[in-house]
């Protein structure tokens, strides 16, 4: 095998790429990056370089090196577009949209996701792909506090997949923020019937508590639920969701007029923003 790889640079490139993907899935990101770098060294065809850049994007994103990740994926996209590899272009657009979403550049993220909808329909992708895109657009509208727009996108997603946990959570949160408490409660009931994963159950418990405490001073138990969800995503290193749930924790402490704890978690938020340039 090694002799064949030595004689055939293309085979060597594919070997190192395959090995890099395997390391990536095993969360050995340093080893994965070394393999992708080696793949680029043994074969310089730009199509393979594009694939390498695409694969390396996910490593940089995991490290939250978002500027570097965006640069890699845009280079890959240009080459894929040149060769008419539109499925790859679609994937690159999704990646760029995710970066914009992390940076809180919601309009840019939404535009990218809409370009993905166009490509998905053009290439006759499954309805499930469209549902994901509509939910992603709704999520960006939620983060931008544009809840009426979010609901429009959720309606599009619901026509395709009405049982998705994120869809249900987004409905609850949007109706809560729009002060349509009865509608939020209706979606909480739906969530109670359908949720099984503890991750989503914890968020549902939090959102249910937010709805129940609407117009009241939040109790300590509710704040602890918000902190639990925040700490869950802190362990995962999901910085976008860290910021989202930190904002809820801070808001609850402010409503309770517990300024000391509000300031404590505000410092946490500012540290994440400055460290990861979110």
């Amino acid at each position: 095998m090694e002799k064949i790889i030595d004689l055939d640079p293309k085979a060597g490139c594919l070997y190192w790429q395959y090995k890099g993907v395997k390391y990536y899935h095993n969360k050995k990101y340093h080893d994965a990056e070394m393999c992708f770098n080696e793949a680029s060294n043994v074969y310089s065809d730009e199509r393979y370089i594009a694939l390498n850049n695409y694969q390396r994007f996910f490593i940089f994103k995991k490290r939250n090196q978002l500027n570097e990740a965006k640069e890699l994926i845009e280079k890959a996209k240009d080459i894929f577009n040149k060769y008419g590899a539109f499925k790859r272009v679609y994937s690159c657009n999704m990646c760029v949209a995710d970066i914009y979403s992390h940076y809180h550049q919601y309009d840019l993220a939404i535009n990218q996701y809409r370009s993905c909808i166009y490509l998905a329909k053009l290439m006759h992708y499954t309805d499930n792909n469209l549902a994901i895109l509509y939910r992603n657009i709704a999520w960006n509208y939620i983060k931008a506090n544009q809840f009426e727009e979010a609901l429009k996108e959720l309606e599009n997603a619901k026509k395709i997949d009405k049982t998705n946990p994120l869809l249900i959570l987004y409905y609850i949160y949007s109706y809560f923020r729009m002060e349509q408490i009865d509608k939020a409660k209706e979606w909480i009931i739906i969530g109670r019937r359908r949720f099984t994963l503890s991750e989503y159950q914890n968020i549902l418990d939090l959102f249910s508590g937010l709805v129940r405490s609407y117009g009241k001073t939040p109790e300590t138990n509710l704040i602890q639920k918000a902190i639990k969800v925040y700490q869950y995503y802190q362990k995962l290193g999901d910085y976008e969701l860290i910021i989202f749930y930190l904002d809820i924790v801070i808001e609850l402490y402010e409503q309770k007029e517990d300024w000391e704890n509000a300031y404590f978690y505000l410092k946490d938020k500012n540290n994440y923003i400055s460290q990861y340039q979110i």
Side-chain angles (χ1 to χ4, degrees):
M1 177 69 176
E2 291 181 2
K3 289 182 179 179
I4 295 173
I5 290 171
D6 290 338
L7 291 171
D8 187 344
K10 186 186 294 186
C13 179
L14 291 171
Y15 167 77
W16 286 112
Q17 285 180 343
Y18 171 80
K19 197 170 182 179
V21 170
K22 189 173 181 180
Y23 275 130
Y24 175 82
H25 287 303
N26 289 327
K27 299 183 179 180
K28 297 181 178 180
Y29 303 124
H30 177 72
D31 292 332
E33 187 177 10
M34 289 182 64
C35 289
F36 294 137
N37 289 339
E38 190 64 30
S40 294
N41 291 334
V42 299
Y43 194 59
S44 59
D45 184 284
E46 65 177 354
R47 289 169 292 184
Y48 286 81
I49 291 173
L51 185 58
N52 242 18
N53 286 340
Y54 175 79
Q55 291 162 334
R56 289 170 62 213
F57 162 86
F58 295 98
I59 297 173
F60 281 93
K61 187 184 174 189
K62 278 287 183 184
R63 294 173 178 164
N64 221 51
Q65 295 174 264
L66 300 183
N67 287 329
E68 294 89 342
K70 185 171 180 290
E71 184 178 343
L72 283 170
I73 205 66
E74 287 182 336
K75 287 179 179 178
K77 177 184 171 181
D78 288 343
I79 297 171
F80 290 141
N81 205 33
K82 176 181 175 181
Y83 288 95
F86 295 120
K87 287 186 177 181
R88 292 288 186 185
V89 171
Y90 169 88
S91 297
C92 288
N93 282 346
M94 287 285 285
C95 294
V96 172
D98 289 344
I99 294 293
Y100 284 139
S101 182
H102 272 69
Y103 274 132
H104 300 264
Q105 294 175 310
Y106 306 125
D107 288 343
L108 293 174
I110 288 166
N111 287 338
Q112 282 291 321
Y113 286 129
R114 293 205 189 283
S115 74
C116 290
I117 290 174
Y118 172 78
L119 284 174
K121 290 180 177 179
L122 192 67
M123 296 184 291
H124 304 290
Y125 273 20
T126 64
D127 285 345
N128 184 55
N129 289 91
L130 292 173
I132 291 170
L133 291 165
Y134 288 128
R135 288 195 300 270
N136 286 352
I137 293 173
W139 169 238
N140 276 272
Y141 276 129
I142 286 169
K143 291 190 296 177
N145 295 321
Q146 298 181 41
F147 300 108
E148 290 185 6
E149 294 301 318
L151 288 173
K152 292 176 185 177
E153 302 301 329
L154 291 174
E155 285 296 308
N156 289 329
K158 188 176 72 169
K159 292 173 185 176
I160 301 168
D161 180 4
K162 62 183 179 181
T163 64
N164 183 273
L166 290 177
L167 176 91
I168 296 168
L169 291 172
Y170 293 168
Y171 264 117
I172 295 169
Y173 191 78
S174 296
Y175 279 128
F176 165 70
R177 287 300 186 186
M178 294 176 68
E179 301 181 348
Q180 297 185 30
I181 302 304
D182 288 341
K183 290 185 178 180
K185 288 179 179 178
E186 290 175 9
W187 280 97
I188 289 170
I189 293 170
I190 294 171
R192 293 288 184 208
R193 291 171 181 165
R194 293 178 179 165
F195 283 12
T196 56
L197 295 176
S198 59
E199 174 190 354
Y200 297 127
Q201 188 63 57
N202 289 335
I203 301 171
L204 181 61
D205 287 343
L206 169 60
F207 287 0
S208 299
L210 291 174
V211 170
R212 284 197 305 273
S213 69
Y214 173 74
K216 304 174 185 175
T217 301
E219 296 180 357
T220 302
N221 181 50
L222 174 59
I223 299 175
Q224 290 304 314
K225 288 179 180 180
I227 292 172
K228 181 179 180 180
V229 175
Y230 151 60
Q231 290 176 338
Y232 173 82
Y233 288 110
Q234 186 181 44
K235 289 178 182 178
L236 291 182
D238 191 324
Y239 303 105
E240 186 177 10
L241 291 175
I242 285 172
I243 297 299
F244 182 80
Y245 289 104
L246 262 176
D247 279 338
I248 293 177
V249 172
I250 294 164
E251 182 181 0
L252 290 172
Y253 273 125
E254 287 175 343
Q255 290 173 0
K256 198 176 177 66
E257 297 186 357
D258 184 341
W259 307 115
E260 183 178 352
N261 276 311
Y263 178 66
F264 175 84
Y265 284 101
L266 182 60
K267 285 195 298 183
D268 267 6
K269 177 184 174 180
N270 289 336
N271 286 337
Y272 278 114
I273 290 173
S274 60
Q275 183 178 358
Y276 298 104
Q277 300 178 357
I278 297 176

